[in-house]
Amino acid sequence: MQLIKNAQILLENQLITKDVLIDQGKINKVSDHIDYANAEVFEANGLFLSAGLIDVHVHFREPGYEYKETIRSGSQAAARGGFTTVIAMPNLNPVPDSEEKINAQILLNKANGLVHIEQYGALSNGLTSTHVTNIEGMSNAGAKAFTNDGKGVQTADTMLQAMIAAKHVNKPLAAHLEDNTLIHSGVMNAGQIAERLALPGITGLAESTQLARDLVLARATGVHYHVAHISTKESVSLVRMAKKEGVHVTAEVSPHHLLLSEESILLDNAMFKMNPPLRSQQDREAVVAALLDGTIDMVATDHAPHGEEEKQQSFLEAPFGITGIETSFQLLYTHFVKTGIMTLKTLLERMIDAPATAFQLEAPTAVVEGARADLALFDLENEYEIETNEFASKGKNSPFVGWKVYGKTIATWVDGKIVYKDNVK
Ligand code: DOR
Ligand code: ZN
């Protein structure tokens, strides 16, 4: 038994102080005052206790790229960010693109994960876009959803066949949108800033044209189609239109597309290099508005750790991707909730309820009796500075280093067990 004393929990848009009793991995009781002689007490001192956050887009790199991240380090980073359930991407080596490989990956995630790790199956063999994988077999083996993330699906027929199969097993298909014929070796958003830095640009059309194709196919097949890391205002309009027309579509946006734009790129600094790239200020405003009005359903980090030396290279050479799972709640709480743009309730809805519903997860969405005790305790009052030496992730590639934020994770529980505790506690 564990007893969390004096935690603030969110009830109908208000923070109320409660005690929370945990027994056998579940919340046994939530009440104004609980005394339980045999419980191990955790004094929360008025900190904010939430259901654990959910991230449907993380890269944990194992097997294949353990120098960037392992399942252990990635899940430690997740816990340090306040996340208790994640869905891991399949751009690994080997790519989990068959029933056997999904089985092996799920076992590996279970053996090494400190949080709940669900797994995406690859939508095409080796993420090549050419042959659709055995989606039904992988679904039976436990794959939670399917994607080609890391690369766009270049042929309409591959996407169509994958959608038919995903619809058949009633699981979501998540799309990384990138038409290779429009990329032209680009490394950042096409526009004046790319020109000033003499770097090749990636047009937003590479994303939105493939999205338009996919939405037509999604309507025809009835699949649940999920847009990964949406980044342009044109994509937002397309999703808004498709939702109005009854297409089963959901969308995620990353913290960096909500908080940064191409204008943040002052120098050739690959900490700002990711795919899709940081877009224009107008695009940024469009994704923020869409997250507020629900056109974009959820936040997902696209946590993409890389080696230190890899990311010290120039924009032309460095790999795409930045870490995100240890800073996302904190950045969004600081910049959207504290500033009054979004309520805490809405932010949590976009980081817990929406992903849980869209991806049919068993994760709890509130601190209530009977729920699985996946919990995160945050300090909303004290400011701290984001520093890479504090990261649990092997990846130190964050453009947010030095930013001052609120919402530090003080402790995280998974199935009622503490998996992360801040060192001040
Ligand atoms: O920036 C990115 N990094 N975008 C992706 O789609 C893949 C990811 C990675 O795997 O590093
Ligand atoms: Zn992607």
Side-chain angles (χ1 to χ4, degrees), residues 220-260:
T221 56
V223 73
H224 171 198
Y225 177 80
H226 177 77
V227 185
H229 42 53
I230 196 166
S231 76
T232 73
K233 57 182 189 308
E234 289 80 10
S235 297
V236 166
S237 304
L238 286 167
V239 169
R240 191 171 280 134
M241 209 153 64
K243 281 190 166 183
K244 264 194 201 126
E245 293 179 11
V247 178
H248 189 182
V249 54
T250 53
E252 68 182 45
V253 62
S254 72
H256 45 278
H257 289 110
L258 291 165
L259 289 166
L260 303 172

Side-chain angles (χ1 to χ4, degrees), residues 57 59 61 91 149-151 176 229 273-276 302 304-306 320-322:
H57 193 145
H59 297 271
R61 310 298 193 202
N91 57 342
D149 189 61
K151 290 174 180 166
H176 168 116
H229 42 53
K273 180 177 178 181
M274 73 292 287
N275 193 6
D302 195 6
H306 289 291
F320 287 100
I322 60 166

Side-chain angles (χ1 to χ4, degrees), residues 112-144:
N112 297 299
L114 291 173
V115 301
H116 298 283
I117 305 175
E118 300 287 354
Q119 184 62 46
Y120 281 96
L123 161 173
S124 69
N125 284 339
L127 304 175
T128 53
S129 291
T130 48
H131 288 94
V132 177
T133 50
N134 177 4
I135 285 178
E136 186 164 7
M138 285 192 287
S139 174
N140 291 336
K144 209 60 191 167

Side-chain angles (χ1 to χ4, degrees), residues 189 231-234 279-287:
N189 190 41
S231 76
T232 73
K233 57 182 189 308
E234 289 80 10
R279 300 291 189 183
S280 70
Q281 190 58 24
Q282 278 180 325
D283 291 314
R284 190 187 78 80
E285 284 163 13
V287 294

Side-chain angles (χ1 to χ4, degrees), residues 87-124:
I87 316 186
M89 285 297 174
N91 57 342
L92 302 164
N93 188 13
V95 172
D97 57 5
S98 68
E99 203 172 324
E100 295 71 34
K101 286 186 223 158
I102 279 288
N103 265 322
Q105 188 66 43
I106 289 173
L107 289 175
L108 202 61
N109 291 342
K110 239 198 163 57
N112 297 299
L114 291 173
V115 301
H116 298 283
I117 305 175
E118 300 287 354
Q119 184 62 46
Y120 281 96
L123 161 173
S124 69

